[in-house]
Amino acid sequence: MAPPTTIFYGAVISPESLTSYKALPRCLLSVGASGTIDWMVDDVQEHVLQETLAQKGCIDVDVITLPAGEFLLPGFIDTHTHAPQLPNLGSGQQHELLDWLSDVTFPMEAKFSDVEFARRTYESVVRRVINCGTTTCCYYGSLHLESTKVLADIVHASGQRAFVGKCNMDRNCPDYYVEASAEVSINETKQLISHIRSLASRPNAQSSSRPHLVQPILTPRFAISCTPELLTSLGKMASSDPSLHIQTHISENKAEIAFTKELFPDAPHYAGVYDSFGLLRPNTILAHAVHLEDTELELIAKRKAGISHCPTSNFNLSSGVAPIGVYLDRGIKVGLGTDVSGGFSPSILTCIQNASIASKILAIQAGTHGTSPTQFSNRQLPVATLLYLATLGGAEVCHIDKTVGSLAPGMSFDALLVNTRSIAGNPGLWSPDTDTPGKGKEALDGLLERFLFCGDDRNISRVYVEGRFIGGNNYRANN
Amino acid sequence: MAPPTTIFYGAVISPESLTSYKALPRCLLSVGASGTIDWMVDDVQEHVLQETLAQKGCIDVDVITLPAGEFLLPGFIDTHTHAPQLPNLGSGQQHELLDWLSDVTFPMEAKFSDVEFARRTYESVVRRVINCGTTTCCYYGSLHLESTKVLADIVHASGQRAFVGKCNMDRNCPDYYVEASAEVSINETKQLISHIRSLASRPNAQSSSRPHLVQPILTPRFAISCTPELLTSLGKMASSDPSLHIQTHISENKAEIAFTKELFPDAPHYAGVYDSFGLLRPNTILAHAVHLEDTELELIAKRKAGISHCPTSNFNLSSGVAPIGVYLDRGIKVGLGTDVSGGFSPSILTCIQNASIASKILAIQAGTHGTSPTQFSNRQLPVATLLYLATLGGAEVCHIDKTVGSLAPGMSFDALLVNTRSIAGNPGLWSPDTDTPGKGKEALDGLLERFLFCGDDRNISRVYVEGRFIGGNNYRANN
């Protein structure tokens, strides 16, 4: 059931560009029955609230009034995570990528051949990811068709917006965890796509004319694990269906890059491998991108593919520090990815903190200080940029920025109700109610920074997707 | 009132050295009425539990049995934080040190001239720090005598172990926040020391013969903010009382170092400034130490002073990456410091995660891979080392490692009861009960790593200092 019209009155924060966001302390925002933001009126003083509502034709309506210390924010977009790796969170930090895959990751993912184990685990995975404030998530499943169907079913039932793919991986993987052939891989991928697209007609499907909340995504794991035959077939599928999204890894680790070049000696570089099979396009998500060459950047920019920046994982697996500022300066789309369990946290907030740290490390190395209004390369990323990457930047990478990523009329209400008050119970966020903050824009700027650097799931009271209340701390308390 | 004997049966983890820790899945541990660990028996199978207790003379005693997923760990030691800066948590991340002090920090600290504001704020500060699992804390107060007395009173009443100092700062600070003279600074410091030492005879003082839980500490803010006259007087106080601890900052930021050298042109280097006034000794805590010269390291090692590694702050204020591995290889004592609010988290867990990241960044830059059994320089720090720095290393830096930092007979029971189970409610820590872990040492190693990388205050059920239950998640639930 679609929710009825919901009207909020209070603070709203929404990204505008890489360097600016709107912070509206007294905004009136109406979400229609379809889950879309119908209208917003800025700077509504309390004494004209009823009058303003009446002008909008709203008489005798309930209004959700946010107290000081609470605000609405676009939901977080996690552009890269692995659902079957959540049970490994915080394990194996001593490894680098290739050893970590063989010693930690593949053994865990192999367990998802057991559909009941997958069902039990994915129920918890999706609930945790939603409660961390992720309204859109790009999930890698395992290689298993049935378990990945189950993942899609659970995401669908939860009301989260997501892309769900099963890994394509038919070589250079252990015997116990590899696809039998490129043909099997392609057949099962087609079955998964049909299954996910059929969810649109199932109960809990939204009634709007937008694309369905859960969409399939082609997921060649990485070049190393895919035969040219498999990549060729995936490329054909992609070219026959331009709406189909694609996600994969690129240039995460130096040993991985060397092995890729060995396997594809004719490709000019790592990005060139994917491009030669037609897999680099505006709805392609490239995770990591730590060590790209200049000509690769040119190609990625030309193809309008997006990059998922995974700083927690890049630190944790000693992969390196991705020069995100350089990519932004070249106009490449960038979003954030938790990359669980290469990253040790399912929260985009941790990712934001580590994206800030990564940018500061590059600035320290370059000897630059402060931010620059015209340049991101070798500069620390300001709060506005971090917010952008976590929301609208992620939406661009997912090619859904006309639908989500900001709060504005016509956009889907995919949003978080953030609560920075002490009642939220997070001792790491100093509550403004302890110290009586103002209610103006400056106070709101301060709250945003505190939330991004000190917040956790307890500060996310409500998670909305397309207007539906699907998770968050208040949701947990009532379910 | 001292607690009666408490006996725990379950998993215990305790550091042994920089590269090893004990993980005892079935340990019987008895805490005496004085708060000291009386005895421990390792590897007690359930069927011999009563027999083992009887051998220890314990008949009909209550035993706290820990379920799988819970373990005891030494309490965290925060070797560097600023109590009056907690209200600024997560603010001002765009600044570097000197601007951050003038724009963000000094205005907040100045508010502590209001003793009632200080009382209200410090009640919350100390409660938060304890609930994050910090059993010993090195607190900088503001420059105000009365408010810092209040801080000491609150810490005393809470039962936390701590060093509390008021900042000495009589120059190069804003007019509204600077001490009137070196003489005033010294007089007030003496009054604070008397006040803190008098707490030993107040209610809630422990009855043991150990040094009192709350101790004074000389706190010259940093060389820049102290006149030679003030440093001379502090040096005299120190030399007349070798038991008096000292805490200060060193080599955090390049602009700070340059200014220090300008102010003290005769000193060979930054460490030499403190040394020339007799302030470098085995109970001196030097915070940050990001950019030390080789000869400074020699001097610090010779004086047996300790370093407080503050990686979150060093990243956040773009100070740099402290080469902790180099210090460890030279035998210098190292602990961890949250450095709130240069650091954006009051939790030593965040510090552990960022200490890991800092070490990996240095390893990436050096092109080294993995850990080394004989060398820390330019290597990632393994879990054992991170645990050591957070506990026993911190105790060494505080010069109290004969009393706290590890769990062993004769040591004070300053400990955390860690709960990694799903019931703790932290969505970022994948609960072992979801996936039925073993109960052996290997499972315990896994739990420790998960807790250090994914845990938060919700996973700290109980915080004990000298045998008393003073905080944690279960404490909050009941208070």
Side-chain angles (χ1 to χ4, degrees), chain B residues 448-461:
Chain B
L448 175 64
E449 189 180 352
R450 279 162 194 258
F451 172 61
L452 297 184
F453 282 83
C454 308
D456 68 25
D457 56 286
R458 287 171 283 193
N459 302 108
I460 298 171
S461 296

Side-chain angles (χ1 to χ4, degrees), chain A residues 29 42 57 66 78 106 110 137 149 187-188 228 234 237 342 345 395 449 467:
Chain A
L29 181 153
D42 183 21
L66 311 187
D78 187 346
F106 289 151
C137 192
K149 282 185 186 172
N187 281 340
E188 296 198 339
L234 288 169
M237 283 178 70
S345 165
E449 189 179 350

Side-chain angles (χ1 to χ4, degrees), chain A residues 86-96 108 111 117 120-122 124-125 128 131-132 312 314-321 344-346 350 353-354 356-357 360-361 363-365 368-371 380-383 386 422 425-431 434-435 446 449-450 453-454 456-458 476, chain B residues 86-96 108 111 117 120-122 124-125 128 131-132 312 314-321 344-346 350 353-354 356-357 360-361 363-365 368-371 380-383 386 422 425-431 434-435 446 449-450 453-454 456-458 476:
Chain A
L86 261 87
N88 274 344
L89 271 170
S91 301
Q93 59 74 45
Q94 73 275 26
H95 293 293
E96 295 185 28
M108 174 58 75
K111 291 188 186 180
F117 172 77
R120 210 163 58 235
T121 306
Y122 285 149
S124 180
V125 165
R128 286 164 192 250
N131 286 343
C132 288
T312 310
N314 294 342
F315 287 141
N316 196 43
L317 297 182
S318 297
S319 301
V321 185
F344 49 75
S345 165
T350 310
Q353 292 144 30
N354 285 324
S356 171
I357 288 174
K360 287 175 177 175
I361 287 164
I364 291 168
Q365 286 173 356
T368 53
H369 300 275
T371 56
Q380 61 170 279
L381 298 178
V383 168
L386 296 168
S422 62
N426 170 8
L429 195 156
W430 190 272
S431 313
T434 314
D435 196 21
E449 189 179 350
R450 281 163 194 258
F453 282 83
C454 306
D456 67 26
D457 55 286
R458 287 171 286 193
R476 278 193 290 190
Chain B
L86 260 87
N88 275 343
L89 271 170
S91 301
Q93 58 76 44
Q94 73 273 28
H95 292 293
E96 294 186 27
M108 174 56 75
K111 293 189 185 179
F117 172 76
R120 209 163 59 234
T121 307
Y122 285 149
S124 180
V125 166
R128 285 165 193 249
N131 286 343
C132 287
T312 310
N314 295 342
F315 287 139
N316 196 42
L317 297 182
S318 299
S319 301
V321 184
F344 50 74
S345 165
T350 309
Q353 290 144 29
N354 284 324
S356 170
I357 287 174
K360 287 175 178 175
I361 287 164
I364 290 167
Q365 286 173 356
T368 53
H369 300 275
T371 57
Q380 61 170 277
L381 298 178
V383 167
L386 295 168
S422 62
N426 170 7
L429 196 155
W430 190 271
S431 315
T434 315
D435 196 21
E449 189 180 352
R450 279 162 194 258
F453 282 83
C454 308
D456 68 25
D457 56 286
R458 287 171 283 193
R476 279 194 288 189

Side-chain angles (χ1 to χ4, degrees), chain A residues 139-141 144-156 160-166 188-202 205-206 211-219 244 247:
Chain A
Y139 289 112
Y140 283 58
H144 309 100
L145 170 62
E146 291 307 320
S147 291
T148 310
K149 282 185 186 172
V150 165
L151 172 60
D153 292 349
I154 290 168
V155 175
H156 171 73
Q160 190 183 37
R161 192 184 298 275
F163 297 88
V164 176
K166 72 161 231 74
E188 296 198 339
T189 300
K190 287 179 177 169
Q191 289 179 58
L192 180 67
I193 293 170
S194 299
H195 177 83
I196 292 176
R197 288 182 170 160
S198 77
L199 291 173
S201 57
R202 293 251 207 116
Q206 81 277 30
H212 189 62
L213 290 177
V214 184
Q215 291 185 57
I217 186 165
L218 291 183
T219 308
L244 202 52
Q247 61 184 354

